[in-house]
Structures are given as structure tokens and as C-alpha cells.
Amino acid sequence: MKMVAGNWKMNKTLQEGVALATELKEAVKNPNCAVVIGTPFIHLATVAELLKDSPIAVAAENCADKEKGAYTGEVSAAMVRSTGAEYCILGHSERRAYYHEDYAILREKTQLALANGLKVIFCIGEVKEEREAGKQNEVVKAQLEGSVFNLTAEEWKNVVLAYEPVWAIGTGLTATPEQAQEIHAYIRGLVAQRYGQEVADATTILYGGSCNEKNAAELFACPDIDGGLIGGAALVAEKFLAIIAAR
Ligand code: PEP
């Protein structure tokens, strides 16, 4: 499946988010790919209601690693699902780096999200030093083995991968199409080893990291890049719409 997904991160008040979602709803009627927007938790119910008759699906940017109970301030996967959101972004490099989400925590979150009927957009990717040391393949392999390759083939159907080199996120540095294609092909090969070639061919693998309206078409032309996970450019309707049109 081809897909363009936005990740608003910690941007937009509720009113600003509703305004952006309304603009997108009016423009996206019959897209040639799946379209998802990831919003802050507190916007989910309103934005999901607004988009309920639209082809645009809504994603949370995180969920708790516990089912329910005395975890003040946390938001469970069941709560996310109850808003009408269909997806949950997990494993984003900002969550890994700033909130210390390790392989085991992400394994729990993924299990809970899937068990509660959410689809997961699972992010992987190396930091600059790892790329410079030529270790990007071993890094993404360890991230997959550590958190999601425990899933059954049935569960895997609801997983989308997003390769996001950390050195390209929000930096204006984009992986070249060749760099991105090379590692996407490697990732698809790992999925094939674990789940078989047919499943690997059906797996959606997004590229993320300073993907914008100018470079999207070139990246999306690569055979193993099924779409994009978009940060900064997802905050401006005309940029996000241009990226959707490029897919
Ligand atoms: C992201 O955070 O998922 C991302 C890809 O951000 P940006 O597009 O701003 O680099």
C-alpha cells in the first residue's frame, strides 16, 4: 500500500489543528494513496470526528506501554482507539532519544496498540555517527528484532514501517534517493527473511526525514519507498497536499 502520513509532533493548538484538518479534508477527496495525519492526543477525538467521512485516517503519535490503571498522565492504546484514531506512530526517534523508549518498551507498546485494533507506523533509523560508521543496517536490524519481529504474520499485516535516518529529521538534510532505496531494500529483505517474500512485498515502508514537496517525487520513484512520513512539511496544507500528489 502506498501512503503519505503526517506527524504534527507537539505543534498546533486544537483550533489550529482543526483548521488544518478542515483544509486537508476539503482538498483530499480521492487520493491515489492512503493518507494519515498524526496529531497530539488531545486533538484526536475532534480531528477523527471531523474526518470520519473523509479518506484521511488519524494517528496518535504515541501510546502507553501499560494497559490501564495508575499511570498518571499516560494515554492507553484503548483510549486512542476509542477516539476514532486508526493508527499509532511508535518508535519515533524523538521518543527513543528524549523519553528513553527502548526495545522492550516499544515491544509492549506495539503489542498493546495492535491488540486494541490500532495499526502501527513503526519508526526505525540510525543516528549520524552510526551512518558515518557504516552501521545503519545493523541498527535497523536490531530495532526490528528488538521490538517487532516477535509479532505473528497476522499481526504484521497491521504494521507499516517508517525508515527515518535521525540525521535527516528536521535538519533539512535528506537521504539521497540512492541511500534511501538501498536501506529500504535491505529492510524489505529482513522482512522477507522473517515473514516470507509475499508478506515483505505487501509491507508498506515509508521514508521520513526532511521529505518535502520538492524532493518527494524523486524519493517516491524508488521501488522500495512506498511513501513518506512527513514532519515539518505536514504542518502546511499546501506542502502536505503537494507531497500526497507526488505519491
Ligand atoms: C518526522 O519527525 O517523522 C520527520 C520526518 O520530520 P521532518 O519531516 O520534519 O524531518
Side-chain angles (χ1 to χ4, degrees):
M1 178 180 48
K2 308 293 184 197
M3 176 184 286
V4 171
N7 173 16
W8 291 1
K9 311 193 185 189
M10 195 173 74
N11 292 296
K12 308 251 176 230
T13 62
L14 179 58
Q15 291 74 21
E16 289 165 349
V18 165
L20 176 54
T22 304
E23 228 181 315
L24 295 174
K25 181 185 175 180
E26 277 159 16
V28 179
K29 299 282 189 212
N30 202 2
N32 43 10
C33 64
V35 178
V36 181
I37 53 175
T39 84
F41 285 135
I42 199 145
H43 302 8
L44 286 176
T46 311
V47 172
E49 174 66 24
L50 180 85
L51 295 176
K52 76 172 187 294
D53 299 319
S54 145
I56 306 175
V58 178
E61 300 171 16
N62 182 26
C63 72
D65 62 339
K66 302 288 191 300
E67 200 180 335
K68 63 173 169 179
Y71 301 101
T72 303
E74 287 294 294
V75 176
S76 73
M79 292 172 190
V80 168
R81 188 68 189 104
S82 74
T83 67
E86 288 174 53
Y87 286 83
C88 189
I89 299 170
L90 291 174
H92 193 280
S93 64
E94 289 151 17
R95 302 287 325 166
R96 292 180 193 259
Y98 307 148
Y99 303 99
H100 316 294
E101 295 191 2
D102 61 17
Y103 296 169
I105 288 174
L106 291 171
R107 195 160 58 231
E108 293 303 316
K109 290 188 176 200
T110 302
Q111 288 281 2
L112 285 164
L114 293 171
N116 284 283
L118 291 164
K119 295 173 198 143
V120 171
I121 300 176
F122 192 79
C123 306
I124 55 176
E126 79 288 355
V127 299
K128 186 157 161 273
E129 295 70 32
E130 291 163 340
R131 166 70 57 168
E132 284 168 357
K135 291 192 170 152
Q136 61 273 17
N137 287 6
E138 50 183 282
V139 170
V140 297
K141 184 168 192 258
Q143 289 170 333
L144 291 168
E145 287 175 346
S147 302
V148 288
F149 275 180
N150 58 304
L151 298 172
T152 64
E154 200 49 37
E155 289 169 325
W156 187 262
K157 289 184 186 154
N158 290 317
V159 175
V160 167
L161 294 177
Y163 168 68
E164 301 204 300
V166 182
W167 47 272
I169 296 179
T171 58
L173 290 175
T174 317
T176 63
E178 293 72 29
Q179 281 174 323
Q181 166 56 29
E182 188 181 8
I183 193 156
H184 275 237
Y186 172 73
I187 293 165
R188 201 178 300 283
L190 293 175
V191 177
Q193 275 171 30
R194 171 65 183 86
Y195 295 104
Q197 194 60 49
E198 209 178 310
V199 172
D201 289 341
T203 298
T204 300
I205 310 179
L206 308 177
Y207 169 80
S210 298
C211 181
N212 58 38
E213 70 288 4
K214 297 192 184 81
N215 58 26
E218 203 185 8
L219 287 159
F220 297 168
C222 299
D224 287 294
I225 300 182
D226 299 310
L229 179 56
I230 318 298
L235 296 172
V236 181
E238 62 181 8
K239 294 187 183 180
F240 193 58
L241 292 170
I243 297 170
I244 296 168
R247 176 61 281 183

